[in-house]
Each structure stands twice: as structure tokens, then as C-alpha cells.
Amino acid sequence: MRDALERCLALSRQARKESGTALAATLAELDALLAATRSGIAEPNAAASADAELELDLAGYLTGWSDGAQRMFGYAAEEALGQHVLFLYAEDDDDGNIAELFFEPDSGATGARTEVRRRKKSGELIWVKLRLLLRHDEAGDPVGMLVELNAADSALSASDKINLHARIIEDSDQGVLITDAHERIVSINSSFTRITGYTPEESIGKTPDLLRSGVHDAEFRAKVRSAMQGEGPWRGEIIGKRKNGELFPQSVTISVVRDEQGKISHTFSLFSDISVHKDAEARMQRMANYDSLTGLPNLCLLNQLVGQALTETKRSQEHGALLVIDITRIGAISDTLGHEVGNGLLCEIGRLFRLSLREADVLARLDGHKFAVALLHIEKREHAAIVAQKLLTALAAPIVIGTHSLQVGGHIGITVYTEDGTDVPTLIRYADVAMNKAAQNIESAFLFYSEEMNQRAKEHLRIESELRQALSNNELMLYYQPKVSLRSGRIVGAEALLRWRHPVRGLVSPGVFIPVAEETGLILDLGSWVLEEACRQVREWKDANLIMPPIAVNLSARQFDNQLPKRIAAVLERHGVQPDQINLEITESLLVRGTDNVIAIMNELVAMGMALALDDFGTGYSSLAYLKKFPISTLKIDRSFVIGLPYEENDCAIARAIVTMAQQLRQEIVAEGVETAEQMSFLRELGCDQLQGYLFSQPIPAADFAGMLREGKRLAFGNR
Ligand code: C2E
Ligand code: MG
Ligand code: MG
């Protein structure tokens, strides 16, 4: 028998050589047969259950063709018999390795089986289950083969399918929630219970609101609802609520199932609990953006924040500054007292810096003993120097860490954007350059990257320190500039203007030193001095029996705090001066800050008997409606609108509007900086009340002003 088979195999191999790959399948079938024979089990066994039966001789030619075969392949017996079985093969079929199946130990008991593709007469390809059995003659020698075929039903039966799907759903790691068309939960899986804590008994029949966390807004919920109503699959993150009340982020897919009519029969949500990822994300976020020692932002976050500010600054043409601060002596301290002390010191320095900065300023730790400060929006570039000085002052006192009192210092490099650079790395690099230059000083110091800024800062610092001395050295004095009535031409008041008689530089203009004083806070001391001096002078004139008009004093917005009325009252009282002898000039910036507090303070001053004037009117943002809220009795039209009168159309229109408006509000109007008779005539015709300017008089020393009053100097209106 074996010989016959070997022969048959050889034949087939020959055939394969001749007919190419299609024959490989035949070879495989024969190989399989051989394998089955080797295991000695292949016996003919008429299979009553077969859909089709074919008989082959040992060379593979068809000798039998059942009715079932006719039904399966579409060939009548006459067409099939005598053909080689290859004519049923799909051309591209290559079952070459089918044989392997048959070598499996239990493959032979009921014959060799496999699933193969075959071609019908119509050309259609079909999958068939194939079972191969040997036919023997009486002597027991193989004479042919019986091939039993069953149509392979590749699709699952409906119930198998349901069972399979149910298993997949049940075993899924994702939570599954299925609702019916009325949004009632009809099914959940075990992961749903694991994630949410709700058992089937607790959830089936309820709506998915069971998991609602309440953190999403109406718009978001509407989006999810429309997905549930068939808008299409929706994927996103939703915060859900577990049975124990805990909120958890979930990644969700929502889809709908429709029936044959296209109506939604079910909605299903697949979700995973991503709280672990979210926690990790938040931790990573922290690690990526914050310094682990001090908890301050690191270089990465600084980069982002300054990067954003830079984009805004480029548009608004504002300034910002970046300061890099190197702390000195930290290395030596760590080496001698240990890293614990060094680290404690760095944390404490971070805290001290934070305290000296405004909330909007960014403080970051770069590395080692280097910090950075970003002032995202500054009005003037010089302000960065004030902040640098503050930081150095914070380092000046010894810092106590445990039992140690430690002295450190700092060197600061400053870059200003967008002048010095328009991207963060450049700004940091230049700040480093400036810092290294500053570090050439043993003492703590700061430097701007730009030489021009260094000059300005130096000048600024010089003015500041000299101004402090000016106060104690009696270098300050008040000049008085008369205000005259445009009706009578008489002097009806005067403005006290600060003058600084510098020992070397001579008379310094307030335009130079007032802004420095404002920035450094020195204006508070200056303001007190001015008020004191004005009151002293008024009292002196009174004692000399001079009848003087009210004297106006300029107030800085910085002086405007709750204590201001009390402070003024004390000064007035000390000098025995009546409140109506002193007027106060304030600027619009104070109104713009316009909190209730400011109005309350103004009301208090008015209640004391003082009059308030709004200085430089028109240069700020005040509007009519806005002005009504403030108890102001006088408006001073800014000099910039007076200059163009009566020739500049715009200036005329503005002056006219301001006068009309002030008249409606029953406020007195003073025009500042009037230098020509034409300006005066125009203002007079408009109905302006008073004039202050070089046309009548420059600001003059107190004695000159008193002399002017004594003489009864008047404004000449000319013959117009
Ligand atoms: P201001 O309060 O608007 O003072 C009016 C300024 O205009 C004064 O400048 C005055 O000298 C100048 N001026 C008056 N008439 C004319 C004119 O016809 N032509 C020109 N070109 N200028 C005229 P000054 O004295 O240099 O003061 C400048 C600013 O400094 C003041 O503006 C005020 O804002 C501030 N200031 C002066 N003294 C004090 C003070 O005691 N305290 C405060 N907080 N600020 C003061
Ligand atoms: Mg003024
Ligand atoms: Mg003014």
C-alpha cells in the first residue's frame, strides 16, 4: 500500500512541476493522505452528513460525482467525471501547506480534514470543509479516494454570535453602558461596576444621570446629548461621579444602534477611567514646570509665560523686563555648613523675593543659585531697576536658617523687551551677560544689558539719592504761579510749584525729579513737605496782614490714602490755616483708579472745607458721566489744548467742549499754560473763568508773588 501511495505522490509531484502552483493543493491533499495512512487510520467511511461526495482515482481524476456535488459546484456528472480534480480549484489557490494540518496527532481518526477554497462552475469561489478517505480493494490496496465536502459556514450562527459578543463586552476592560431608546440603562458590564461602584441592580432601569458629576456646563451636556440622540459617534473626556461620590475623568465613546427603520433602538457608551493618567499628567506637569526644591516656576514655565507676554507686548508696544539674579556665597555656605543649609537658604531667598514682588511678577528658579524675575508689563523701562534694587535690599539683611545667621549677596542682569530681544532665550542670554558684568563688583549690584538703560538707571539712582538729601538740606522751595480771573483780570489764586535748587546743577525742573519721586515713593515725603511749606507760607502772609487768595497744592495719586484727610487737617491746624485757604489739584489717573475709596476720601476733604481741582484735564480718560461722580469744583484745561488756540481747529473744538461741559457741571474752568493774548481772548469768549500762564506770570518765588499782590497787578485784556 505504501508503495502505491509513494507512487501516487511521485506522480503528483510530477504533475505539480508541470502545472505550477495550482497543483500544490493536490500535492497537499495527497501528502495529507499519506500522513493519515502513516498513522494507519484512514478508512473509508460513507458520511451521511456530507453535502457533496466526489471519488477520485489515485491520480486525482474524478470517478464519482454525487448529486450534492452537482448542487455545490453546478457541474452535471457528465461534465465532471473524467476531469482531474484540479478543475474545481481556485486558480490562485495555494494550499501548499495544508499538509501540515494532517500531521497533527489527532487529525486522522475520522479522516484528514481541512477547509479549502474551490471554484463553482459560475466562477464563484466557495469555502468548503473537506474530508479525505482512502478506498481499498479487497486485497487492501488503495484504489482511490473519497472526498466528502460540506459548505463551510464561515459566519457564526446567530446565537454563537450573540454569545461571543456578550463575552467580549463582559470581559472588556472598558466600562460598557447600554441604554434603550428612552435612555434607560438596559445593560452594563463588570468593568462598569468596577469603575463606578454601581451593580447591575443599582443601575439597570436608571438613566446615565446616575454618573453625572455636575461639573460640565449646559453646552457640553447638550453636545453629549445630541451624540446620544444620533448625531454621530462622540469621543471625548467627561468627568463622571462614582457611587462613593468621587469624581473621575473618563475617556468616552458614545454611539447609537438603529433598528431596520433607522430609529435609534439603543445607545452605548464605552468608557475608561483615566484618573490614573490624569494624576500622572498633573504630576508630570508639576515636575516639568516647577522647581522641586523651592516650588517656584522653573525655566520651562518662565519660558512659556514670558513667551506669551512677549507676543502681547509686541502688539501693545508696552515693555517688559527679565532679571537674572545670581546669589553669591551659596556655594561656600553649602560646602561648609552642608547642603541642607544651602537648600534651606535658597528656599528662604525664594520666599523673600516673592514677598518683595507684585503678584503679577513671575519669580522662577533657574538652576543652582540662579533665580529669574519677569516683569511682564512695565510702564517704564526704568522700573526694572527699582525692582532689582528691591530684590537686592531683600538680600541685604542676614538670613537665619536654623541656628545660622547667613549673609549672601546678589548680582542682577536686566534685559528689557522688546528693545533688547524678542525671544526668551535671547533675553536670558543677554541678562546673563549683564549679570556677569555686574558680578565684577564684589558688592551686590545690578546692570542693564543696554548701556543707554544703564545711564538712565544711574541718573535715576543719582536723582533719587540726591533728592533724599535735598529734603534734609533745604534745597527745595515753592514757587507760586498766579491764576487770574478772565472777568476782573485780578489775581484770584496761585498754584504752588515745587522747585529744587541743586547745589551744582542749579534749578532742577519738577519734570525731571517728580517722576523719579513717584516711582521710588519719595513723593510721599516731598508731598508732605510741600503741604507743610505751603501752609507755613500762607500763615506767614497772614501774619504779615496780607490778604491772599487760596493757594493750590498738587497731590500725587500716591498720597491719596484713607489717612490723607487726617494728615492734611493736622497740618492745617498746626499752622492755624483755614481749609479754604488751600486747594488741592489732583490728576485724572486718580479718577481712573476711581474706587469708592477715592470718592469717600474726596468727600471727606470737601466736607473739611477744601476745594478739589482736576489738573491736566483732557489728557486722561475722563468723560462727562464719569466726572459727575466726583466732588470736583474746578477743571484745569491742559496746556496741550491751549497751545493751538485760536488757530488749531481741533484744539478750539476740544476747548469749547470742555468749557461747555464744565459749565453744565457748574465747575470753574482754569486754562493752563496761556502764553498769548489771542489764546486769552479766545478762552475768555468761550466763557472760561480763569487763566494761568506765562502771559500773566511765570511761577515766581513767594516774595515776588506777595509783591505782585501788593501792587495789585492785573491782567490787561487789551482793546478787543
Ligand atoms: P502742573 O501741576 O500741571 O503745573 C503746571 C506746569 O505748567 C508747571 O510746570 C508750570 O510751570 C507750567 N506752566 C505754567 N504756565 C505755563 C506757560 O504759560 N507755558 C509753559 N510752557 N508752561 C507753563 P512745572 O512747575 O515744571 O511743574 C510740572 C509738573 O510737576 C506740574 O504740572 C505738576 O504735575 C508737577 N509738580 C510740580 N510741583 C509739584 C508738587 O508740589 N507736587 C506734585 N505732586 N507735583 C508737582
Ligand atoms: Mg497742577
Ligand atoms: Mg497741569
Side-chain angles (χ1 to χ4, degrees):
M1 172 183 111
R2 188 150 291 209
D3 288 351
L5 266 174
E6 297 296 351
R7 216 176 50 238
C8 154
L9 218 52
L11 238 170
S12 257
R13 285 202 179 100
Q14 179 67 26
R16 170 153 55 170
K17 259 188 217 148
E18 286 160 11
S19 317
T21 52
L23 277 173
T26 321
L27 175 66
E29 277 173 21
L30 293 172
D31 275 343
L33 192 55
L34 176 63
T37 312
R38 276 186 197 126
S39 55
I41 313 170
E43 284 307 318
N45 180 10
S49 62
D51 292 337
E53 289 169 10
L54 324 174
E55 295 209 37
L56 309 176
D57 65 16
L58 286 176
Y61 288 93
L62 282 162
T63 54
W65 188 253
S66 72
D67 290 348
Q70 183 169 346
R71 277 193 298 277
M72 186 176 278
F73 292 102
Y75 294 105
E78 308 85 75
E79 294 173 282
L81 290 173
Q83 298 261 27
H84 195 276
V85 71
L86 278 173
F87 95 110
L88 296 175
Y89 279 45
E91 269 141 12
D92 58 344
D93 223 5
D94 182 5
D95 299 343
N97 57 3
I98 289 176
E100 289 166 23
L101 282 171
F102 295 86
F103 288 103
E104 285 174 15
D106 59 352
S107 65
T110 49
R113 290 167 190 272
T114 187
E115 232 176 78
V116 292
R117 259 171 6 134
R118 292 291 178 262
R119 185 182 299 281
K120 289 166 64 162
K121 187 180 177 186
S122 64
E124 184 192 344
L125 293 175
I126 51 169
W127 280 97
V128 292
K129 282 182 191 153
L130 177 149
R131 183 173 180 238
L132 213 54
L133 298 151
L134 269 182
R135 293 266 194 225
H136 303 95
D137 61 12
E138 277 117 53
D141 284 333
V143 288
M145 288 170 277
L146 172 67
V147 183
E148 290 180 2
L149 299 169
N150 280 298
D153 179 11
S154 63
L156 288 168
S157 73
S159 69
D160 280 354
K161 200 160 149 185
I162 289 170
N163 285 338
L164 183 65
H165 289 188
R167 270 235 74 79
I168 292 171
I169 290 176
E170 184 55 24
D171 293 348
S172 165
D173 231 21
Q174 291 200 303
V176 176
L177 165 80
I178 304 174
T179 63
D180 62 14
H182 307 292
E183 292 182 22
R184 300 273 153 205
I185 301 175
V186 292
S187 179
I188 59 164
N189 69 349
S190 55
S191 286
F192 176 97
T193 305
R194 178 174 51 77
I195 296 170
T196 67
Y198 289 109
T199 61
E201 295 75 38
E202 291 165 329
S203 46
I204 290 180
K206 307 265 171 56
T207 70
D209 276 351
L210 191 67
L211 306 178
R212 194 165 139 182
S213 63
V215 302
H216 295 292
D217 58 18
E219 193 188 334
F220 182 87
R221 289 205 307 277
K223 225 179 339 175
V224 177
R225 277 197 75 80
S226 64
M228 296 187 75
Q229 284 158 3
E231 277 278 295
W234 181 87
R235 266 178 211 90
E237 285 183 14
I238 303 185
I239 305 291
K241 191 159 106 184
R242 301 191 221 270
K243 186 178 163 189
N244 66 9
E246 190 184 22
L247 302 185
F248 69 103
Q250 42 174 325
S251 165
V252 188
T253 308
I254 298 173
S255 293
V256 295
V257 182
R258 295 176 189 275
D259 61 17
E260 285 102 43
Q261 283 85 49
K263 285 211 321 236
I264 293 169
S265 63
H266 295 90
T267 304
F268 64 93
S269 317
L270 302 176
F271 62 93
S272 343
D273 181 350
I274 51 169
S275 47
V276 182
H277 306 297
K278 284 274 164 191
D279 284 355
E281 203 177 294
R283 257 203 318 279
M284 269 167 57
Q285 194 72 9
R286 260 201 308 279
M287 272 163 55
N289 288 322
Y290 292 90
D291 168 43
S292 57
L293 175 65
T294 58
L296 293 172
N298 61 12
L299 177 64
C300 177
L301 185 53
L302 180 80
N303 257 312
Q304 287 173 36
L305 295 172
V306 178
Q308 280 164 15
L310 263 169
T311 327
E312 287 165 26
T313 309
K314 278 179 213 159
R315 255 180 314 190
S316 64
Q317 304 195 320
E318 282 180 21
H319 305 284
L322 194 77
L323 289 71
V324 172
I325 308 127
D326 187 49
I327 311 292
T328 58
R329 295 169 42 84
I330 295 258
I333 289 169
S334 295
D335 288 349
T336 46
L337 302 175
H339 283 284
E340 291 275 292
V341 176
N343 287 345
L345 188 55
L346 283 168
C347 290
E348 182 59 11
I349 290 169
R351 199 183 66 83
L352 291 172
F353 279 175
R354 197 57 268 179
L355 285 177
S356 31
L357 293 166
R358 294 192 189 162
E359 213 173 302
D361 304 336
V362 180
L363 170 65
R365 179 167 172 240
L366 299 186
D367 57 55
H369 27 82
K370 242 162 70 180
F371 290 83
V373 168
L375 310 172
L376 301 179
H377 303 284
I378 48 176
E379 275 168 42
K380 289 194 177 165
R381 295 172 293 170
E382 293 89 320
H383 289 191
I386 297 168
V387 175
Q389 191 53 59
K390 266 202 223 166
L391 295 174
L392 293 181
T393 309
L395 293 179
I399 298 172
V400 177
I401 303 293
T403 54
H404 309 282
S405 174
L406 307 166
Q407 184 69 60
V408 294
H411 295 119
I412 303 181
I414 309 171
T415 37
V416 174
Y417 52 84
T418 52
E419 288 85 337
D420 296 341
T422 51
D423 62 279
V424 189
T426 305
L427 289 169
I428 292 185
R429 204 169 64 242
Y430 287 171
D432 262 334
V433 169
M435 186 204 66
N436 287 327
K437 222 160 145 195
Q440 288 165 8
N441 292 288
I442 298 171
E443 303 280 304
S444 288
F446 69 83
L447 267 184
F448 281 90
Y449 176 71
S450 127
E451 216 21 68
E452 177 222 333
M453 284 307 300
N454 278 328
Q455 291 307 329
R456 278 179 186 241
K458 245 190 231 156
E459 173 78 358
H460 202 280
L461 277 181
R462 189 183 53 73
I463 293 175
E464 186 192 340
S465 75
E466 289 182 354
L467 200 52
R468 281 182 208 281
Q469 287 171 2
L471 267 167
S472 46
N473 293 353
N474 283 328
E475 290 166 17
L476 298 176
M477 56 198 300
L478 287 182
Y479 272 28
Y480 296 86
Q481 186 176 35
K483 296 177 188 171
V484 286
S485 163
L486 279 168
R487 272 182 286 276
S488 65
R490 284 180 209 274
I491 296 172
V492 289
E495 177 175 6
L497 292 160
L498 194 52
R499 293 291 178 267
W500 177 10
R501 200 173 287 281
H502 190 280
V504 183
R505 266 178 272 262
L507 214 55
V508 183
S509 153
V512 174
F513 67 86
I514 294 281
V516 178
E518 290 270 7
E519 281 160 22
T520 53
L522 257 178
I523 193 73
L524 296 178
D525 292 340
L526 290 185
S528 302
W529 182 88
V530 169
L531 193 66
E532 195 81 35
E533 171 60 15
C535 288
R536 191 202 59 74
Q537 185 62 66
V538 167
R539 175 61 195 245
E540 194 184 293
W541 283 326
K542 190 180 168 203
D543 288 348
N545 287 325
L546 271 172
I547 308 212
M548 298 302 278
I551 302 297
V553 167
N554 291 285
L555 280 185
S556 153
R558 281 193 155 214
Q559 290 172 270
F560 234 82
D561 61 20
N562 290 330
Q563 299 303 309
L564 180 70
K566 246 191 232 140
R567 284 201 306 269
I568 296 182
V571 180
L572 292 173
E573 200 180 313
R574 192 165 339 115
H575 293 282
V577 170
Q578 296 302 310
D580 61 359
Q581 280 293 103
I582 302 286
N583 294 342
L584 301 172
E585 291 192 7
I586 55 171
T587 53
E588 281 185 283
S589 65
L590 186 68
L591 305 194
V592 176
R593 224 176 68 192
T595 54
D596 288 348
N597 207 18
V598 168
I599 300 180
I601 298 167
M602 286 184 177
N603 283 333
E604 220 177 308
L605 292 166
V606 171
M608 277 164 57
M610 306 193 80
L612 298 180
L614 190 58
D615 206 352
D616 305 342
F617 186 74
T619 56
Y621 304 95
S622 309
S623 67
L624 183 61
Y626 197 68
L627 273 183
K628 272 196 283 197
K629 298 200 303 192
F630 300 94
I632 287 162
S633 51
T634 307
L635 280 190
K636 298 185 77 179
I637 306 177
D638 191 65
R639 194 171 82 86
S640 55
F641 302 110
V642 174
I643 292 173
L645 304 180
Y647 309 108
E648 281 283 332
E649 243 174 71
N650 272 350
D651 286 355
C652 295
I654 291 168
R656 192 173 291 117
I658 294 176
V659 173
T660 314
M661 186 184 86
Q663 282 168 340
Q664 277 170 9
L665 289 171
R666 300 193 197 302
Q667 284 165 338
E668 281 217 302
I669 312 139
V670 181
E672 294 184 287
V674 180
E675 295 183 354
T676 68
E678 287 88 347
Q679 289 168 345
M680 181 208 53
S681 303
F682 184 87
L683 288 160
R684 196 168 170 229
E685 273 160 32
L686 273 189
C688 191
D689 300 295
Q690 294 170 26
L691 164 162
Q692 177 184 347
Y694 295 172
L695 175 69
F696 185 76
S697 167
Q698 296 226 345
I700 46 177
D704 296 355
F705 178 58
M708 204 180 259
L709 269 167
R710 245 191 243 111
E711 289 163 16
K713 181 178 174 186
R714 281 202 198 192
L715 179 65
F717 296 124
N719 45 15
R720 287 193 68 191

